[in-house]
Amino acid sequence: MLWPIRPNVMFAGIAILCVPMCGIAESQESRADSDQESPIYGVEVGSFLSETRTTYSTVNGLPSNDVLSVAVTHDEEVYAATTKGISKLVDGKWFAIAEYKTPVKLLAPHGEKLICTAETGLYLVDAATSTQLAALPESAVDPVNQHALIGGKQALLGTSTGLWRLDGDALKPVDALNSLLGDEKEIRQIAVSHDERIAVAAAAGLFQSAPDGQWTSITPRDGSRSWAPVDVRGVAFDGNGRLWFASPQGVGVQDDEGWTLYTGQDGLPYNDFTTMSAGEGAVVWFGTRLGAIRYDGKIWEYHAAPRWLPDNLVRAIAVQQDGTPWFATEHGLGAIERKPTTLDEKARFLEDEIDKYHRRTPYGYVHSVRLKDVADKREWTQSDSDNDGLWTAMYGAGECFAYAATKDVKARQRATAAFEALRFLSQVTQGGSNPAPRGFPARSILPTSGRNPNDGDTPERDIKQQERDPQWKVLSPRWPTSADGKWYWKTDTSSDELDGHYFFYALYYDLVAETDAEKQRVRDVVAAITDHLIEHDYALVDHDGKPTRWARFGPGDLNHGEMLYQRGLNSLSILSYLKVAEHVT
């Protein structure tokens, strides 16, 4: 039988065992010799490519977040086609071009300019003007029937009724291909190679023309795999001239040696494709209905919204020469840059973001925030968490490691601030409206000048919750007030919180605390919490005199009681706490 496992406990519980073991492995003589500085071992790391995503919306000047297509011209200018016209990116802002205020369904580079479909025509566009090149075929006037567009030496339009080529001032059907398509004439994507081969992804399959105009249907074969792909969604020629296609059957690439076919068994993350595009060198990007995929010939990298994209449904992809892909979605435009960076640069960026957005209360508890708009960091909302102690401890542990490796004064200051925040969680519970036994750390705090978190949190509500969840603890108040009346503090502290506290205290004691006074502050708080556990049969006991729901580590609870299914993790946790306490005190 599989017992449920709390992920936070497993993560922190395993981690905290590591640090005190390092200290215990030292000889008693070396530990007693405070004048001898412990050696710091490390690995020198240079720069590496780090991915950074940027999302663009109406906040950045787009006329609409509903982006239908995106294009990169030969001079590396980026354009977005939306339901309210075309915009050009200039210094991080989008500016409308030409006179379009209507939806522009398809957009493609055409030399130094663009071609697009809008209303009933195919247009040539630059930054200020547009010229109609041809009227759209009657079947393609409806944007729903427009699927693919490509420019260059020739302009090709893919529709629900086949492939069309710009010839003079008219779009004419490519009969040689359209006759091969049979009844399923829908074209999904078009690609043209450097040697003028044309490849087409179609509902009917995968097709290619030679420079002489002869069209053929392609049935890739790779060893024992032989496909006659249908419902082909994407096609591209990569920087090495290799032909790629994407279909629900999988992905294929053709080089001088033949075909290589990929499915989920070969690492392909997902196969509900919408489009694809060549990247730098041998890199290809795939758009799907559930994110984007990058493949460099060795590694499949999956990118999902909202972390990497404005939305999971990728409508179009265009890639700049430096390898930066742009993604058109119905909730904005996204880009993913790969820039050389160092661990130090990355850490400084993240630490600055934490300092700006993620510190709650004057003690600086670190917790996630909510943005009003995923693409706009101007407005955010902070909130408390049941795991304020754990997350602040994990953050503080990182700063302890940073100080040990770099001796950066700012890292020391941040680690010390985290220590004081965690220490206060054990101080705020003493005295006040409902004092807890000495050494009991609160989950979190809220200022009494704000909302009362006890509103609506009644014993009756707890009883109803307990009917649904037998282990739910009936406790009132769940947020007592501190002795000075300035804070509410949250009860029912869990094993997760203790994992964070002990993990951090051991690191702070070994790597940051330098004076006797600093080390004594660590000893005092670790001793208080550990004494509390020992005095209460290895459990955290709340202000009601009863153990909390999760922080129970006694042999009776773990071997015979309702905590049996937590036995392994909680045994590891309590042994780790005791090791830390022995090491520190």
Side-chain angles (χ1 to χ4, degrees), residues 259-301:
W259 282 95
T260 303
L261 303 176
Y262 302 96
T263 67
Q265 292 180 332
D266 307 296
L268 178 66
Y270 193 62
N271 65 348
D272 194 358
F273 299 103
T274 55
T275 187
M276 68 177 298
S277 182
E280 73 281 16
V283 172
V284 285
W285 281 92
F286 302 90
T288 79
R289 295 182 181 276
L290 200 63
I293 300 167
R294 180 183 189 271
Y295 186 57
D296 64 2
K298 296 180 180 179
I299 299 174
W300 298 92
E301 296 180 353

Side-chain angles (χ1 to χ4, degrees), residues 341-405:
T341 188
T342 65
L343 292 176
D344 180 64
E345 291 169 341
K346 188 170 185 177
R348 290 181 188 279
F349 170 80
L350 294 173
E351 287 165 336
D352 289 344
E353 293 285 284
I354 291 171
D355 287 344
K356 185 174 182 179
Y357 301 105
H358 295 272
R359 295 193 177 281
R360 193 182 62 79
T361 81
Y363 290 94
Y365 295 103
V366 176
H367 183 47
S368 59
V369 298
R370 290 186 178 275
L371 298 178
K372 183 178 180 180
D373 181 354
V374 71
D376 184 4
K377 292 193 291 188
R378 293 179 301 175
E379 295 185 58
W380 72 93
T381 303
Q382 293 182 332
S383 63
D384 64 283
S385 161
D386 277 0
N387 297 119
D388 274 355
L390 172 61
W391 304 142
T392 304
M394 296 296 103
Y395 163 80
E399 294 301 330
C400 290
F401 288 128
Y403 180 66

Side-chain angles (χ1 to χ4, degrees), residues 22-342:
C22 297
I24 290 168
E26 299 176 44
S27 68
Q28 294 292 335
E29 289 77 15
S30 65
R31 285 170 54 186
D33 184 4
S34 59
D35 295 330
Q36 183 178 352
E37 186 175 342
S38 298
I40 299 296
Y41 299 101
V43 177
E44 185 174 342
V45 179
S47 64
F48 59 95
L49 289 177
S50 178
E51 289 188 330
T52 303
R53 79 96 166 88
T54 306
T55 57
Y56 297 92
S57 67
T58 53
V59 173
N60 311 103
L62 280 177
S64 168
N65 288 340
D66 198 357
V67 183
L68 301 173
S69 186
V70 61
V72 176
T73 62
H74 291 179
D75 56 359
E76 292 292 280
E77 301 286 356
V78 182
Y79 294 84
T82 76
T83 53
K84 293 184 179 179
I86 304 175
S87 286
K88 177 182 178 181
L89 181 66
V90 180
D91 296 329
K93 291 286 186 179
W94 293 89
F95 297 89
I97 68 168
E99 71 273 16
Y100 294 105
K101 299 297 180 185
T102 56
V104 176
K105 175 66 185 296
L106 300 175
L107 190 65
H110 192 64
E112 300 301 320
K113 297 184 179 182
L114 300 165
I115 52 174
C116 72
T117 59
E119 296 180 326
T120 61
L122 176 68
Y123 292 86
L124 179 68
V125 182
D126 61 20
T129 62
S130 67
T131 304
Q132 182 167 322
L133 298 174
L136 293 177
E138 183 177 347
S139 60
V141 170
D142 184 349
V144 173
N145 295 327
Q146 303 168 22
H147 300 292
L149 182 66
I150 194 164
K153 292 183 178 180
Q154 56 185 322
L156 297 167
L157 174 66
T159 74
S160 294
T161 57
L163 186 66
W164 301 75
R165 177 185 282 111
L166 181 64
D167 186 358
D169 60 357
L171 284 164
K172 297 182 179 179
V174 181
D175 294 328
L177 171 64
N178 295 340
S179 61
L180 281 178
L181 297 177
D183 294 334
E184 295 184 290
K185 296 189 181 300
E186 182 178 313
I187 304 293
R188 271 68 177 279
Q189 194 168 16
I190 311 162
V192 178
S193 68
H194 294 303
D195 59 0
E196 297 303 308
R197 288 173 293 150
I198 302 172
V200 167
L206 178 64
F207 301 86
Q208 183 175 239
S209 81
D212 63 4
Q214 182 69 35
W215 284 90
T216 57
S217 174
I218 300 176
T219 55
R221 179 169 182 172
D222 177 11
S224 61
R225 292 177 176 174
S226 180
W227 293 355
V230 295
D231 191 16
V232 181
R233 312 281 183 81
V235 67
F237 290 97
D238 69 17
N240 297 331
R242 299 181 302 171
L243 172 62
W244 288 82
F245 75 92
S247 72
Q249 292 83 17
V251 165
V253 59
Q254 184 186 39
D255 58 20
D256 293 338
E257 303 297 323
W259 282 95
T260 303
L261 303 176
Y262 302 96
T263 67
Q265 292 180 332
D266 307 296
L268 178 66
Y270 193 62
N271 65 348
D272 194 358
F273 299 103
T274 55
T275 187
M276 68 177 298
S277 182
E280 73 281 16
V283 172
V284 285
W285 281 92
F286 302 90
T288 79
R289 295 182 181 276
L290 200 63
I293 300 167
R294 180 183 189 271
Y295 186 57
D296 64 2
K298 296 180 180 179
I299 299 174
W300 298 92
E301 296 180 353
Y302 174 70
H303 299 73
R307 172 62 183 90
W308 293 107
L309 307 169
D311 187 75
N312 272 324
L313 176 57
V314 178
R315 289 170 166 171
I317 304 173
V319 185
Q320 293 179 285
Q321 290 180 10
D322 66 359
T324 300
W326 292 81
F327 305 93
T329 80
E330 65 177 332
H331 290 106
L333 192 72
I336 300 176
E337 296 178 88
R338 296 168 68 88
K339 294 181 177 180
T341 188
T342 65

Side-chain angles (χ1 to χ4, degrees), residues 549-572:
R549 174 175 182 172
W550 295 109
R552 295 154 64 181
F553 312 95
D557 275 330
L558 297 186
N559 293 322
H560 309 292
E562 58 188 14
M563 297 296 293
L564 178 64
Y565 67 95
Q566 291 284 340
R567 178 171 56 182
L569 291 174
N570 279 27
S571 295
L572 178 60

